[in-house]
Short mmCIF file of all heavy atoms in Angstrom, two decimals:
data_model
loop_
_atom_site.label_atom_id
_atom_site.label_comp_id
_atom_site.label_asym_id
_atom_site.label_seq_id
_atom_site.Cartn_x
_atom_site.Cartn_y
_atom_site.Cartn_z
N LYS A 227 26.21 97.48 86.01
CA LYS A 227 25.52 98.77 85.89
C LYS A 227 24.15 98.61 85.25
O LYS A 227 23.22 99.35 85.58
CB LYS A 227 26.38 99.73 85.08
CG LYS A 227 27.67 100.14 85.75
CD LYS A 227 28.46 101.13 84.91
CE LYS A 227 29.13 100.45 83.74
NZ LYS A 227 30.08 101.38 83.03
N TRP A 237 21.88 106.01 87.82
CA TRP A 237 22.00 106.20 86.38
C TRP A 237 23.46 106.08 85.98
O TRP A 237 24.34 105.90 86.83
CB TRP A 237 21.43 107.57 85.97
CG TRP A 237 22.25 108.75 86.40
CD1 TRP A 237 23.20 109.40 85.67
CD2 TRP A 237 22.20 109.42 87.68
NE1 TRP A 237 23.74 110.44 86.41
CE2 TRP A 237 23.13 110.48 87.63
CE3 TRP A 237 21.43 109.25 88.84
CZ2 TRP A 237 23.35 111.34 88.71
CZ3 TRP A 237 21.64 110.11 89.90
CH2 TRP A 237 22.58 111.13 89.83
N ILE A 238 23.72 106.17 84.69
CA ILE A 238 25.09 106.16 84.18
C ILE A 238 25.52 107.59 83.90
O ILE A 238 24.84 108.32 83.17
CB ILE A 238 25.21 105.32 82.89
CG1 ILE A 238 24.62 103.93 83.09
CG2 ILE A 238 26.68 105.24 82.45
CD1 ILE A 238 25.31 103.10 84.14
N GLY A 239 26.64 108.01 84.47
CA GLY A 239 27.11 109.37 84.32
C GLY A 239 27.96 109.55 83.07
O GLY A 239 28.25 108.60 82.34
N ARG A 240 28.37 110.80 82.83
CA ARG A 240 29.28 111.09 81.70
C ARG A 240 30.58 110.32 81.83
O ARG A 240 31.28 110.09 80.83
CB ARG A 240 29.57 112.59 81.63
CG ARG A 240 28.50 113.41 80.96
CD ARG A 240 29.03 114.81 80.61
NE ARG A 240 28.07 115.54 79.79
CZ ARG A 240 27.12 116.32 80.27
NH1 ARG A 240 27.00 116.47 81.59
NH2 ARG A 240 26.29 116.95 79.46
N SER A 241 30.93 109.96 83.03
CA SER A 241 32.16 109.19 83.28
C SER A 241 32.04 107.74 82.83
O SER A 241 33.04 107.02 82.78
CB SER A 241 32.47 109.21 84.78
OG SER A 241 31.37 108.64 85.50
N GLY A 242 30.82 107.30 82.52
CA GLY A 242 30.59 105.89 82.23
C GLY A 242 30.40 105.08 83.48
O GLY A 242 30.16 103.87 83.42
N LEU A 243 30.51 105.73 84.65
CA LEU A 243 30.34 105.05 85.92
C LEU A 243 28.86 105.00 86.31
O LEU A 243 28.08 105.87 85.91
CB LEU A 243 31.10 105.79 87.03
CG LEU A 243 32.62 105.89 86.91
CD1 LEU A 243 33.15 106.82 88.00
CD2 LEU A 243 33.27 104.52 86.99
N PHE A 244 28.51 104.00 87.10
CA PHE A 244 27.18 103.99 87.71
C PHE A 244 27.15 105.05 88.81
O PHE A 244 28.06 105.11 89.64
CB PHE A 244 26.88 102.62 88.31
CG PHE A 244 25.62 102.60 89.13
CD1 PHE A 244 24.37 102.67 88.52
CD2 PHE A 244 25.68 102.54 90.52
CE1 PHE A 244 23.22 102.68 89.28
CE2 PHE A 244 24.52 102.52 91.28
CZ PHE A 244 23.29 102.60 90.66
N ILE A 245 26.12 105.90 88.79
CA ILE A 245 25.97 106.95 89.79
C ILE A 245 24.79 106.61 90.69
O ILE A 245 23.63 106.70 90.27
CB ILE A 245 25.74 108.34 89.15
CG1 ILE A 245 26.78 108.61 88.05
CG2 ILE A 245 25.79 109.43 90.21
CD1 ILE A 245 28.20 108.70 88.52
N PRO A 251 29.16 107.99 92.56
CA PRO A 251 29.95 106.88 92.00
C PRO A 251 30.77 106.14 93.06
O PRO A 251 31.51 105.21 92.71
CB PRO A 251 30.86 107.59 91.00
CG PRO A 251 31.10 108.92 91.62
CD PRO A 251 29.80 109.30 92.31
N GLN A 273 18.83 110.75 84.27
CA GLN A 273 20.24 111.10 84.22
C GLN A 273 20.38 112.50 84.78
O GLN A 273 19.80 113.45 84.27
CB GLN A 273 20.71 111.05 82.75
CG GLN A 273 22.18 110.79 82.58
CD GLN A 273 23.00 112.07 82.58
OE1 GLN A 273 22.51 113.15 82.88
NE2 GLN A 273 24.27 111.93 82.26
N CYS A 275 23.31 114.35 85.54
CA CYS A 275 24.60 115.03 85.44
C CYS A 275 24.42 116.50 85.08
O CYS A 275 25.29 117.34 85.38
CB CYS A 275 25.49 114.36 84.40
SG CYS A 275 26.07 112.72 84.88
N CYS A 281 34.17 115.34 85.55
CA CYS A 281 34.87 114.08 85.27
C CYS A 281 35.59 114.14 83.94
O CYS A 281 36.74 113.68 83.81
CB CYS A 281 33.89 112.90 85.32
SG CYS A 281 32.51 113.00 84.14
N VAL A 282 34.94 114.75 82.93
CA VAL A 282 35.54 114.87 81.60
C VAL A 282 36.79 115.74 81.67
O VAL A 282 37.85 115.40 81.12
CB VAL A 282 34.52 115.48 80.62
CG1 VAL A 282 35.15 115.64 79.23
CG2 VAL A 282 33.27 114.63 80.53
N LEU A 290 37.20 110.41 78.25
CA LEU A 290 35.77 110.64 78.32
C LEU A 290 35.32 111.58 77.22
O LEU A 290 35.90 112.65 77.03
CB LEU A 290 35.39 111.21 79.69
CG LEU A 290 35.83 110.38 80.91
CD1 LEU A 290 35.37 111.06 82.19
CD2 LEU A 290 35.28 108.97 80.82
N THR A 291 34.27 111.19 76.51
CA THR A 291 33.82 111.97 75.36
C THR A 291 33.03 113.19 75.77
O THR A 291 32.92 114.15 75.00
CB THR A 291 32.94 111.10 74.45
OG1 THR A 291 31.73 110.77 75.14
CG2 THR A 291 33.66 109.83 74.03
N ASN A 293 29.80 112.97 76.29
CA ASN A 293 28.42 112.68 75.91
C ASN A 293 27.62 112.20 77.11
O ASN A 293 28.18 111.66 78.07
CB ASN A 293 28.37 111.61 74.82
CG ASN A 293 28.95 112.10 73.51
OD1 ASN A 293 28.77 113.25 73.15
ND2 ASN A 293 29.65 111.22 72.80
N TRP A 295 24.78 109.64 78.71
CA TRP A 295 24.29 108.27 78.52
C TRP A 295 22.83 108.27 78.12
O TRP A 295 22.04 109.09 78.58
CB TRP A 295 24.48 107.50 79.82
CG TRP A 295 23.90 106.11 79.79
CD1 TRP A 295 24.50 104.98 79.31
CD2 TRP A 295 22.63 105.70 80.30
NE1 TRP A 295 23.68 103.90 79.49
CE2 TRP A 295 22.52 104.31 80.08
CE3 TRP A 295 21.57 106.37 80.91
CZ2 TRP A 295 21.40 103.58 80.46
CZ3 TRP A 295 20.45 105.65 81.27
CH2 TRP A 295 20.37 104.27 81.05
N ARG A 301 28.91 101.68 75.07
CA ARG A 301 29.82 102.29 76.04
C ARG A 301 30.81 103.25 75.38
O ARG A 301 31.22 104.25 75.98
CB ARG A 301 30.58 101.20 76.79
CG ARG A 301 31.53 101.70 77.85
CD ARG A 301 32.17 100.57 78.63
NE ARG A 301 32.97 99.70 77.79
CZ ARG A 301 33.62 98.62 78.22
NH1 ARG A 301 33.54 98.27 79.50
NH2 ARG A 301 34.33 97.87 77.40
N LYS A 303 30.33 105.42 73.33
CA LYS A 303 29.78 106.78 73.21
C LYS A 303 30.25 107.65 74.38
O LYS A 303 30.34 108.87 74.26
CB LYS A 303 28.25 106.74 73.18
CG LYS A 303 27.62 108.12 73.06
CD LYS A 303 26.10 108.07 73.09
CE LYS A 303 25.51 109.47 73.04
NZ LYS A 303 24.02 109.48 73.12
N LEU A 304 30.57 107.02 75.51
CA LEU A 304 30.96 107.74 76.72
C LEU A 304 32.46 107.66 77.01
O LEU A 304 33.06 108.65 77.43
CB LEU A 304 30.20 107.19 77.93
CG LEU A 304 28.68 107.14 77.87
CD1 LEU A 304 28.13 106.49 79.13
CD2 LEU A 304 28.11 108.53 77.69
N VAL A 305 33.03 106.47 76.83
CA VAL A 305 34.40 106.22 77.29
C VAL A 305 35.21 105.49 76.23
O VAL A 305 34.75 104.52 75.63
CB VAL A 305 34.39 105.36 78.58
CG1 VAL A 305 35.82 105.20 79.11
CG2 VAL A 305 33.49 105.94 79.63
N CYS A 330 37.90 110.18 88.45
CA CYS A 330 36.52 110.54 88.10
C CYS A 330 35.56 110.22 89.24
O CYS A 330 34.53 110.88 89.41
CB CYS A 330 36.08 109.84 86.82
SG CYS A 330 36.27 108.05 86.80
#
Side-chain angles (χ1 to χ4, degrees):
K227 293 182 285 189
W237 71 94
I238 308 298
R240 279 195 172 90
S241 59
L243 298 172
F244 171 72
I245 311 296
Q273 206 271 10
C275 291
C281 59
V282 179
L290 304 181
T291 66
N293 293 323
W295 175 85
R301 182 175 62 181
K303 180 183 177 182
L304 306 177
V305 184
C330 54

